[in-house]
Amino acid sequence: MAIQWDSLLVEMMLLAAIIYGAIYVEALVDKRKIRKEEDRNRQQIVHFVKNDLNNKLRFIEESVKYSDFKPFFTDMWDATILGGKQILLPFPLFQNLQHTYSWMKYYNNELEQKQNGDSNEKEVLQILSEVKKSIGDSIKMLEDS
C-alpha cells in the first residue's frame, strides 16, 4: 500500500485550519462576552453613582433648609473603589467623581471640627455650596457619558 502524500498533506492542512478557526472563533466570542459584561457593569455603576449623587443633592437641600448639618455617607463610592470597578469608567469621569467625593469627605472633616468648636457655620455652608457645585458637574458628566 502506497501512501498518498499529497492527499495526506491536504487533509492535515484542512484539519489545522479547522482547529485554528475554532480557537479563533471561541476567543472572539469570549472577548465579545467580556465586553458586553463590562458595558453592562459600567452602565450599572453610572446609574448607581448618579442615583447616589441625586440623593446627595436632596440631602444638601434639606441640610441647608433645616440648618441640620450631618455628614455625608460615602460608603457607596468606597465600595465601588474597593470592588475595583472604577477601572470600567473612563478616566476623566473617574477623576471627576473622585474629586466630588473628596469634597464630601472634606465637608465631613469640617463638620467634625465644627463639633469641636473650631469651625463656624458660614465656612460649612461655603463648603456645602462647593460640594453641591461639584455634584452638579459630576451629574452632568455622568449624563453625557
Side-chain angles (χ1 to χ4, degrees):
M1 239 187 171
I3 299 177
Q4 297 177 343
W5 290 103
D6 55 345
S7 64
L8 185 61
L9 185 62
V10 169
E11 288 176 7
M12 291 299 218
M13 295 293 269
L14 286 173
L15 183 61
I18 290 171
I19 291 172
Y20 180 78
I23 291 172
Y24 178 78
V25 168
E26 183 180 356
L28 191 66
V29 168
D30 284 344
K31 285 180 184 178
R32 183 175 290 150
K33 186 164 70 167
I34 289 170
R35 199 173 329 121
K36 282 185 179 180
E37 185 176 326
E38 285 178 351
D39 286 343
R40 185 177 48 84
N41 287 340
R42 184 179 304 110
Q43 289 172 353
Q44 287 175 343
I45 290 171
V46 166
H47 177 71
F48 168 74
V49 170
K50 187 176 172 184
N51 186 35
D52 184 46
L53 291 177
N54 283 322
N55 288 337
K56 300 286 192 245
L57 283 177
R58 277 190 251 117
F59 181 79
I60 290 171
E61 293 299 324
E62 290 175 6
S63 293
V64 170
K65 182 178 178 182
Y66 299 114
S67 294
D68 183 25
F69 303 108
K70 295 179 183 171
F72 288 107
F73 292 113
T74 60
D75 54 343
M76 291 184 168
W77 179 247
D78 295 338
T80 302
I81 297 294
L82 291 175
K85 298 297 183 182
Q86 79 278 5
I87 61 171
L88 297 174
L89 300 173
F91 185 72
L93 178 61
F94 166 72
Q95 196 174 25
N96 182 277
L97 291 172
Q98 186 64 33
H99 176 76
T100 298
Y101 280 93
S102 294
W103 266 111
M104 289 181 208
K105 289 180 181 185
Y106 178 68
Y107 168 79
N108 289 348
N109 288 337
E110 286 298 316
L111 273 184
E112 190 175 314
Q113 288 180 1
K114 182 181 181 227
Q115 290 175 351
N116 296 334
D118 295 341
S119 180
N120 63 28
E121 188 173 320
K122 186 177 179 181
E123 290 175 8
V124 172
L125 285 172
Q126 284 178 329
I127 295 170
L128 202 55
S129 69
E130 288 295 325
V131 171
K132 186 176 180 178
K133 179 184 166 198
S134 183
I135 289 174
D137 292 342
S138 293
I139 289 175
K140 184 180 179 201
M141 195 172 217
L142 283 168
E143 289 172 351
D144 292 342
S145 66

